């Protein structure tokens, strides 16, 4: 084996040293870490949630533990010379031309399914041959039909291949996420969102939306918004616009900015994954919870941001119009006017057969705007409602969603 490079104080969690074990760093009692994992799974399931594990199929640590692991890797399981990818100098690349390697990787997934995992986020899935996924995922689902597979894939032209191979959801970084970042950071037109979702077509509900993850810059960092509230319009679109699931990243709701001097990573706008570290906002919140009052150590801004996230996430979960309803993009009927700027505003409708919501998002950077949004008769026809031509006035600095009641659309403003 090559001499391993350990990144940071704790090493990279993506340099797997034993696929069958829990990282001892995560346990209160290292000797009982599997018991603690089982207890955590039970708590999560009792709360009505599922456990999704991060499966790293492309590479392992240079010092993979072949002595104690029941799933052992040998020279034939790696590319000649044990190559690594790019700057992943703490790993060696798995060789999928060896079919016995396929069996090992499948058995790893089955092992964790048996321990209660409800799904897997598959790291850099497109660096593993597609034929492996086509072979493996159906076998897993034959034994565990409920288990969800999420692929980290960055080539939109190949999205359908991965969905057809058995994945339930794909990261939508290269379409919706990149477009929202472009609007906030580079001043792209908000109308670019229309092209982003239209490019996806019928597979859009199978995308995984997000505005932060461990690879991307924090919204609150000076490299994106510099202010967590300025990121809320993008969060609102990513969360409310379509039926795709949404992922929130650890500490996002407290405005973590990733600018601490975090050892290996440094103040780069990302929260370190290489060092033992704590997040100031999350730490303050947890300390308050332990003392019986979650707001005790949070600033007024952190509390306000937390409430905004709770409102958005709560609405997305509790209102069927957002969780499972139909969506209608209003951008095409709202051109430039004194009351609407399609470069800085984006609007759409959500409907579940009972409630109709108008959503308007303002990317003007916390500058309150008075909008007049056109809702055309075609939208009502699309939802199977009595046709009306409606204009709704909205005054917002970031986002707003408003239910359109029958009384409202019976009499156009």
């Amino acid at each position: 084996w090559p001499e391993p490079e350990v990144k940071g104080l704790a090493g990279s969690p993506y340099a797997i040293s034993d696929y069958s074990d829990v990282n001892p760093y995560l346990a209160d009692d290292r000797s009982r870490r599997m018991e603690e994992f089982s207890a955590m799974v039970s708590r999560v399931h009792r709360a009505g949630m599922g456990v999704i594990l991060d499966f790293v199929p492309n590479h392992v640590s240079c010092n993979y533990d072949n002595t104690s692991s029941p799933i052992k890797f040998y020279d034939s399981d790696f590319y000649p010379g044990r190559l690594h990818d790019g700057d992943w100098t703490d790993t060696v690349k798995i060789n999928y031309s060896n079919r016995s390697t396929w069996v090992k990787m499948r058995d790893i997934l089955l092992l964790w399914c048996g321990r209660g995992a409800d799904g897997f986020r598959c790291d850099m899935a497109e660096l593993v041959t597609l034929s492996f996924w086509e072979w493996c995922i159906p076998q897993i689902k034959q034994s565990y039909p409920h288990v969800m597979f999420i692929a980290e894939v960055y080539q939109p032209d190949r999205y359908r291949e991965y969905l057809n191979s058995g994945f339930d959801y794909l990261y939508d970084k290269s379409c919706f996420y990149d477009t929202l970042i472009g609007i906030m950071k580079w001043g792209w037109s908000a109308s670019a969102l229309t092209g982003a979702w239209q490019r996806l077509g019928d597979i859009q509900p199978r995308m995984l939306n997000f505005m932060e993850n461990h690879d991307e810059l924090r919204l609150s960092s000076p490299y994106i918004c510099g202010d967590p509230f300025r990121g809320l319009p993008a969060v609102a679109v990513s969360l409310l616009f379509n039926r795709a699931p949404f992922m929130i990243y650890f500490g996002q709701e407290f405005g973590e900015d990733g600018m601490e001097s975090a050892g290996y990573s440094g103040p780069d706008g990302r929260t370190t994954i290489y060092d033992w570290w704590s997040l100031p906002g999350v730490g303050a919140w947890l300390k308050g919870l332990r003392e019986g009052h979650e707001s005790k150590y949070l600033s007024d801004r952190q509390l306000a941001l937390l409430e905004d996230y709770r409102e958005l996430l709560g609405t997305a979960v509790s209102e069927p119009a957002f969780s499972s309803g139909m969506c209608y993009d209003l951008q095409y009927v709202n051109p430039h006017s004194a009351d609407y700027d399609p470069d800085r505003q984006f609007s759409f409708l959500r409907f579940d057969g009972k409630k109709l919501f108008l959503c308007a998002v303002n990317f003007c950077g916390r500058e309150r705007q008075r909008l007049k949004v056109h809702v055309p008769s075609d939208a009502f026809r699309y939802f199977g409602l009595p046709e009306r031509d409606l204009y709704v006035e909205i005054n917002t600095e970031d986002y707003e969603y408003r239910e359109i009641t029958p009384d409202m659309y019976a009499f156009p403003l």
Side-chain angles (χ1 to χ4, degrees), residues 116-248:
D118 300 286
F120 300 93
R121 176 263 186 191
C122 298
D123 181 70
M124 296 304 296
E126 61 191 342
L127 295 184
V128 174
T129 177
L130 187 68
S131 55
F132 167 73
W133 300 117
E134 294 170 334
W135 173 84
C136 179
I137 295 177
Q139 293 186 61
I140 303 297
K141 293 202 171 195
Q142 185 174 5
S143 300
Y144 299 94
H146 73 284
V147 168
M148 179 190 305
F149 280 85
I150 302 167
E152 182 187 16
V153 177
Y154 295 124
Q155 302 176 70
D157 293 341
R158 300 194 66 195
Y159 279 178
R160 290 183 187 275
E161 293 180 52
Y162 286 89
L163 291 173
N164 292 337
S165 73
F167 282 101
D168 299 282
Y169 298 103
L170 309 180
Y171 265 39
D172 190 20
K173 178 189 183 303
S174 302
C175 285
F176 228 57
Y177 170 86
D178 281 348
T179 302
L180 285 165
I181 292 295
I183 292 167
M184 293 188 299
K185 186 175 180 179
W186 306 112
W188 295 5
S189 171
S191 293
L193 289 165
T194 297
W197 74 258
Q198 288 179 339
R199 180 181 182 183
L200 295 171
D202 63 308
I203 66 172
Q204 188 186 51
R206 297 177 67 183
M207 296 294 109
L208 175 64
N209 289 342
F210 59 89
M211 288 312 305
E212 289 190 2
N213 65 42
H214 71 279
D215 285 319
E216 309 302 336
L217 291 165
R218 290 282 197 176
L219 287 178
S220 302
S221 78
Y223 306 112
I224 301 293
C225 295
D227 178 343
F229 292 95
R230 291 190 64 183
L232 287 174
V235 173
V237 174
S238 186
L239 174 63
L240 301 178
F241 177 67
N242 54 44
R243 285 179 290 176
F246 177 81
M247 177 174 68
I248 184 170

Side-chain angles (χ1 to χ4, degrees), residues 161-348:
E161 293 180 52
Y162 286 89
L163 291 173
N164 292 337
S165 73
F167 282 101
D168 299 282
Y169 298 103
L170 309 180
Y171 265 39
D172 190 20
K173 178 189 183 303
S174 302
C175 285
F176 228 57
Y177 170 86
D178 281 348
T179 302
L180 285 165
I181 292 295
I183 292 167
M184 293 188 299
K185 186 175 180 179
W186 306 112
W188 295 5
S189 171
S191 293
L193 289 165
T194 297
W197 74 258
Q198 288 179 339
R199 180 181 182 183
L200 295 171
D202 63 308
I203 66 172
Q204 188 186 51
R206 297 177 67 183
M207 296 294 109
L208 175 64
N209 289 342
F210 59 89
M211 288 312 305
E212 289 190 2
N213 65 42
H214 71 279
D215 285 319
E216 309 302 336
L217 291 165
R218 290 282 197 176
L219 287 178
S220 302
S221 78
Y223 306 112
I224 301 293
C225 295
D227 178 343
F229 292 95
R230 291 190 64 183
L232 287 174
V235 173
V237 174
S238 186
L239 174 63
L240 301 178
F241 177 67
N242 54 44
R243 285 179 290 176
F246 177 81
M247 177 174 68
I248 184 170
Y249 184 45
F250 184 56
Q252 181 177 335
E253 69 273 41
F254 298 105
E256 299 290 353
D257 62 9
M259 293 303 291
E260 300 88 8
S261 295
Y264 185 84
S265 297
D268 59 0
R270 295 178 176 87
T271 296
T272 183
I273 61 172
Y274 304 108
D275 299 275
W276 290 291
W277 205 250
S278 61
L279 284 71
V282 175
W285 176 66
L286 289 173
K287 184 177 180 181
L289 282 180
R290 286 192 293 268
E291 296 182 17
H293 199 319
E294 69 170 1
S295 64
K296 185 174 181 179
Y297 298 103
L298 293 174
S299 69
D300 290 343
R301 280 176 58 80
Q302 287 173 320
L303 284 170
L305 184 69
L306 178 61
E307 288 308 308
D308 279 334
Y309 270 94
R310 282 177 169 163
E311 177 195 349
L312 280 167
L313 293 166
T315 299
V317 171
S318 64
E319 286 289 352
F322 292 107
S323 61
S324 59
M326 302 167 68
C327 186
Y328 189 97
D329 185 343
L330 293 170
Q331 205 73 345
Y332 81 102
V333 289
N334 285 278
H336 277 279
S337 70
D339 301 305
Y340 195 94
D341 180 358
D343 289 333
R344 306 313 302 155
Q345 280 101 44
F346 185 73
S347 57
F348 55 95

